[in-house]
Structures are given as structure tokens and as C-alpha cells.
Amino acid sequence: MLFFLIDKQKTKHYNKNSEVNPEESEAYKLRRKIGILTAGGDCPGLNAAIRGVAKASYERFDVEFIGIADGYRGLIEGDYRTMGQSEFSGILTLGGTILGTSRRPYRNMQVIEEDNVDKVALMKSNYMRMGLDCLVTLGGNGTHKTANLLSEEGLNVIALPKTIDNDIYGTDVTFGFHTAVDIATDVVDRIHTTANSHGRVMVIELMGNKAGWLTLYAGIAGGADIILLPEMPYSLDSVIASIEKRIENRHRFTIIVVAEGAYDKTMAKMKNKERIQFLKEKNFPTISYYLASEIEQKTGLETRVVIPGHYLRGGNPSPYDRVLSTQFGSYAARLIEKGQYGQTVAMVNGKISSNPLKVAASQSKFVPKDHQMIKCGNDIGVSFGQE
Ligand code: F6P
């Protein structure tokens, strides 16, 4: 007969008639059962990080991995499976995530919606049912907030910081970011040639709703003339003045990189939802269409919009991200071995380390107005749309 017992955080299955219960053996007790999930938007480096956690764990201790499907969806719905060691090989260079992902906004996690589901209670009971010693979450800000909530609810959680937005507090860098910078820079490079051929203003919109790191890095790396960030509401007059100055200086084209969440000084007075409504009413799908239309009206210059969108998150990770993800993953295994839970892995002043989850989940990392790259941009004549 099969018994199903819940012993603190361990669920055990064993045959009552057998003399020795293998799960009572010393080896079994030392064995760690790790649940792993990837949540939020995907990015290059997720599989490399999963591999890093797994390989370093197999090296360090006796371990069993449970792959949880599609982030917190799988944890809520109990969609998971035991993974074999071989599944963690051959995935270093693979984009996306072998576990699947989904968005489950943190703000709704504690809300009982129409389906009457208590998501937090389900996540906790599924953790118990799987008999986990630890849950590893790979994700961005929202993922960290839910991970911290679960940690405060008593689960053993280790997080890893991924996002092309690079906006997780307490880490110098997140994995996925530099690959996205490489892709975005390639877009800016390629747009230069067509901008020059046609003598146009090109507005390139890059991902980043609240944080402009990707736009700032790709803008400087790609030699953009104007860089517009969500952290620095722009003045349209200043943008127009920079374009006109380039014409006076006999430049044939102007390249503008704008973060998807950037807005002008007028829109700065609005709330986020009002800004979306403002653009919608004017029939502009995004900020770059609004900006391009204003530029054309005010300068008469032919202006085009380019939006690489999810292309920025696609494909294989760069060597930098493969290294970073592997370092983050292997460090997570060390934390698990030591039983140091409630932590998120981080790069702090160039060194792999960790921060308390509650600190990482407490705020986001934005581009400061006095960041050295803004100063550098100013020094070389890049406009940030400021007066
Ligand atoms: O958080 C990463 C990110 O790529 C943001 O830059 C972007 O605003 C968002 O995800 C897009 O989300 P989705 O993939 O759900 O459209």
C-alpha cells in the first residue's frame, strides 16, 4: 500500500511491507530535492543558468531536480516533473527556456480572483507535495517579488537575476542583458547604413518600460545621436534642436534610440495608464510613432520607425552571458549546499555574491541621471533630450 505523508516540507512515498524504507537511509536524507522554474519574459542565458545550477549541484551533493513548467503557473497548478541529469547537458548555448515561462503578475498573487483560487496556498502545498528542499526561481523583478513572498511564507527559495532590462536592484548586471545589448547594437549599426543612404531620421525603439539600461548601452555602443530614456523625460524642442544642429553640420541622417517606456515632458505629468491612453487616442501604437510624427511635422524630414521588439530577447546567449549565467548558477548550488536560503545571486562590484531576497525585491534599479555613461554621452555630443 502506498502512503502519502506530509512531513514538514517533505512528501514521502514508501511501501509499508518492505523491511527497509530506502527513504530513511542516510543517503536519502542527504539528498536534496530542488524545484526549478523560470518566470516572466524569457531571455538568452536562462538555459545556461539552469545548467549551471544543475551541474554544480550534481558535482556537490546528491540531488534530484523537479522541473516546474511555465514559471509560477506550474507551481500553482502542480505542473511539474522529475528531470534527468542528461537534460541539463547541451543547453548552454540554447536560447529561451527548456522549462517554459509565463507572466503571473505579483500584484495578483495574493488576490483571490473569479476562479476562487488561493494561489499562494497552492504554491505552498505543491512545494510540500513535491517534497522540495528548495525552490530555485530564475526571473526578473516580478519573479523576485513572488519569490520573496514564498520565502516569507517559510519556503526555502534561491533566486537568480535574469532580464534584458538589467533593472534588478543590488546586482551590477543581470544575465540576458548583454546579449540584448549585442542584438540591439547590431540593429543600430544596420540602421545607420540605410539612414545614410536615404538621408532620414530613424527612430529605433528598444525594450525597457521603466528602465533605460538597454537603450543607454545600445545607444552608446551603436553611436546613436539622440538617446531617450524613461528615467529622463525628454523635451521635444531639445530633440528637434539636436536634429537641426546635425543638418547644419551637414550630417545626412539622425539616429534616435528611444526606450519603449520613454515619454516627453508633457506626458511626464500623466500617470502610466494615462500615457498609454494619450497615445491610443492619437492613434500612435507606441511612443516612437508619436515622436516620429512630431519630428516630421516640425522639421519636414523623412522619418521612419524601427521596433525590433522581442527579437531582442531571442536566440542564443553571448559568451558574456554564458559565463555570467554559469557563474550565477554554480553560486546558487553553493548557497543550496550551505542551506543559505532567502537569497538572490548577484554580481556586486564585479564579484559573484548574493543579496537577501527581500532587498532585491524591494525596488528596481534605474539609470541615475548622473550615471557615468550619460556624462560620457554628453561629452561626445549625444543628446538625451534635455534642455
Ligand atoms: O522584462 C523584459 C521585457 O522584455 C521588457 O523589456 C518588456 O517591456 C517586456 O518584457 C515585454 O513583455 P512581453 O514579453 O510579455 O510582451
Side-chain angles (χ1 to χ4, degrees), residues 41-42 103 162-165 207-209 214 260 310 313:
D42 74 339
R103 287 202 186 274
K162 76 83 222 185
T163 165
I164 65 163
D165 294 344
M207 278 186 168
N209 239 321
L214 177 58
E260 63 179 325
H310 291 80
R313 297 206 319 235

Side-chain angles (χ1 to χ4, degrees), residues 13-265:
H13 303 265
Y14 65 91
N15 188 322
K16 199 186 173 192
N17 299 324
S18 73
E19 271 179 32
V20 183
N21 170 20
E23 295 178 3
E24 296 300 336
S25 68
E26 280 311 302
Y28 180 83
K29 283 181 196 152
L30 289 173
R31 189 180 178 84
R32 287 169 178 84
K33 216 172 181 187
I34 302 175
I36 187 161
L37 62 81
T38 53
D42 74 339
C43 77
L46 277 167
N47 289 325
I50 293 169
R51 171 182 174 272
V53 177
K55 283 200 180 261
S57 296
Y58 282 113
E59 285 294 322
R60 303 184 84 82
F61 42 83
D62 192 14
V63 65
E64 180 182 339
F65 275 95
I66 308 289
I68 300 166
D70 303 340
Y72 292 118
R73 184 198 68 74
L75 191 57
I76 294 166
E77 296 175 12
D79 189 357
Y80 51 81
R81 68 182 179 85
T82 301
M83 297 180 77
Q85 191 168 353
S86 63
E87 292 184 71
F88 300 105
S89 289
I91 60 170
L92 174 65
T93 63
L94 196 65
T97 161
I98 59 167
L99 297 171
T101 188
S102 64
R103 287 202 186 274
R104 288 272 160 159
Y106 168 74
R107 64 177 177 277
N108 294 339
M109 277 298 179
Q110 287 159 295
V111 179
I112 311 278
E113 291 170 280
E114 281 159 16
D115 53 9
N116 227 7
V117 166
D118 183 339
K119 295 179 272 290
V120 178
L122 277 180
M123 287 193 281
K124 284 167 71 180
S125 67
N126 280 323
Y127 178 102
M128 307 278 198
R129 189 159 293 131
M130 284 183 265
L132 297 184
D133 294 293
C134 168
L135 173 69
V136 176
T137 65
L138 289 76
N141 277 313
T143 306
H144 274 67
K145 284 185 183 146
T146 300
N148 182 49
L149 170 69
L150 294 175
S151 170
E152 285 177 347
E153 288 283 330
L155 307 191
N156 295 330
V157 185
I158 300 282
L160 276 78
K162 76 83 222 185
T163 165
I164 65 163
D165 294 344
N166 193 34
D167 60 349
I168 295 181
Y169 184 71
T171 184
D172 301 350
V173 66
T174 57
F175 65 86
F177 172 64
H178 277 291
T179 306
V181 171
D182 292 350
I183 300 168
T185 304
D186 186 55
V187 172
V188 181
D189 288 349
R190 287 174 187 277
I191 292 303
H192 263 88
T193 58
T194 186
N196 193 24
S197 308
H198 290 264
R200 283 175 175 163
V201 176
M202 300 297 286
V203 181
I204 305 167
E205 180 180 305
L206 300 178
M207 278 186 168
N209 239 321
K210 293 183 185 146
W213 294 107
L214 177 58
T215 303
L216 178 60
Y217 270 72
I220 297 289
D225 307 300
I226 301 173
I227 299 176
L228 305 176
L229 311 176
E231 293 90 341
M232 299 168 70
Y234 64 86
S235 140
L236 184 65
D237 288 345
S238 164
V239 170
I240 301 292
S242 302
I243 296 170
E244 284 172 345
K245 192 173 158 201
R246 282 184 58 81
I247 306 272
E248 271 166 39
N249 290 339
R250 298 182 179 277
H251 292 294
R252 274 177 61 76
F253 64 89
T254 298
I255 303 280
I256 305 177
V257 284
V258 53
E260 63 179 325
Y263 45 86
D264 66 14
K265 297 244 187 240

